[in-house]
Amino acid sequence: MFTGIIEEQGIITAIEPSGDGVRLTVQAPLAVSDAARGDSISISGVCLTVTDQSADGFTADVMKQTLDMSTLGGFGVGTPVNVERAMAAHGRLGGHIVQGHIDGTGEVLEVRPGEQWQVLRISLPASLAPLVVDKGSITVDGVSLTVSAVSAAAADLHWFEVSLIPETLAVTTLGGRSAGDAVNLETDILARHVQRMLRFTPAEEGGSE
């Protein structure tokens, strides 16, 4: 479990084929300062399990489904990534509840700079659109963000906007995003649960006698 509060930017230092997946090595000194084999670490929003580690990084296996569902399949050596260790039980929930289970990807449609911030407009798969609401929470590349605008329900192209403060621009990879970039998306787990529960709501009883 994570909170979407990024602790450091890491760097992909090695990618090796492993069956139908890959073995990823990430330079992330802070993340491994208290890590152990089997620990969970979020890399740009994807929860990975530590299989090996060094003084300044760790290695994790990434299966094909994860590569297909996320942007990890497009990573190369030198790609910067957002890194967050799993939340400690005694820690503060600074962002929101994040599982590290990607729902899909979106594309940065527009970057609008302000005096001290940037607004990103990001496309949203139609299947995820009902789960994203204005002023709700969403995770983009592992970063917990508040939705500042959403497209209309009947829109042909669904999108949402997030406003990035200077701190977010400085300490995460989102500060370097431009139109056309793909990003990992995780919707609010509470919204997903409500959607699933509604599908099991019994139909209203009725009919003629």
Side-chain angles (χ1 to χ4, degrees):
M1 195 70 69
F2 306 94
T3 69
I5 304 300
I6 302 305
E7 296 183 291
E8 67 178 324
Q9 284 194 48
I11 298 289
I12 303 297
T13 58
I15 302 176
E16 301 175 0
S18 178
D20 61 356
V22 298
R23 182 161 293 163
L24 207 64
T25 301
V26 184
Q27 184 182 45
L30 177 61
V32 297
S33 63
D34 62 352
R37 185 183 180 92
D39 283 357
S40 295
I41 298 179
S42 171
I43 299 300
S44 290
V46 180
C47 177
L48 299 180
T49 300
V50 175
T51 58
D52 196 7
Q53 66 185 94
S54 65
D56 67 347
F58 71 96
T59 299
D61 291 316
V62 186
M63 59 185 179
K64 184 178 184 299
Q65 181 184 20
T66 302
L67 296 175
D68 293 340
M69 284 285 295
S70 72
T71 62
L72 267 63
F75 284 5
V77 173
T79 298
V81 292
N82 296 320
V83 181
E84 181 190 358
R85 291 170 293 183
M87 178 185 177
H90 63 276
R92 291 186 174 89
L93 186 59
H96 71 283
I97 296 174
V98 176
Q99 292 184 296
H101 301 160
I102 301 301
D103 292 313
T105 61
E107 179 183 328
V108 177
L109 301 175
E110 182 184 359
V111 179
R112 298 199 307 273
E115 292 183 1
Q116 292 183 310
W117 62 88
Q118 284 184 354
V119 175
L120 298 188
R121 176 173 290 192
I122 300 170
S123 68
L124 191 63
S127 60
L128 301 183
L131 303 175
V132 181
V133 298
D134 189 22
K135 304 303 184 290
S137 296
I138 192 165
T139 309
V140 179
D141 278 349
V143 184
S144 173
L145 298 169
T146 299
V147 176
S148 55
V150 292
S151 56
D156 292 330
L157 175 64
H158 293 284
W159 53 262
F160 67 95
E161 291 184 350
V162 288
S163 299
L164 308 181
I165 62 173
E167 178 70 6
T168 303
L169 295 172
V171 303
T172 77
T173 61
L174 296 183
R177 290 301 185 191
S178 56
D181 287 348
V183 292
N184 293 320
L185 304 177
E186 181 183 335
T187 56
D188 187 356
I189 185 175
L190 297 179
R192 298 201 303 272
H193 274 298
V194 170
Q195 183 186 64
R196 178 67 172 168
M197 290 170 62
L198 288 174
R199 290 174 179 168
F200 285 91
T201 302
E204 185 175 343
E205 295 182 2
S208 58
E209 296 184 4

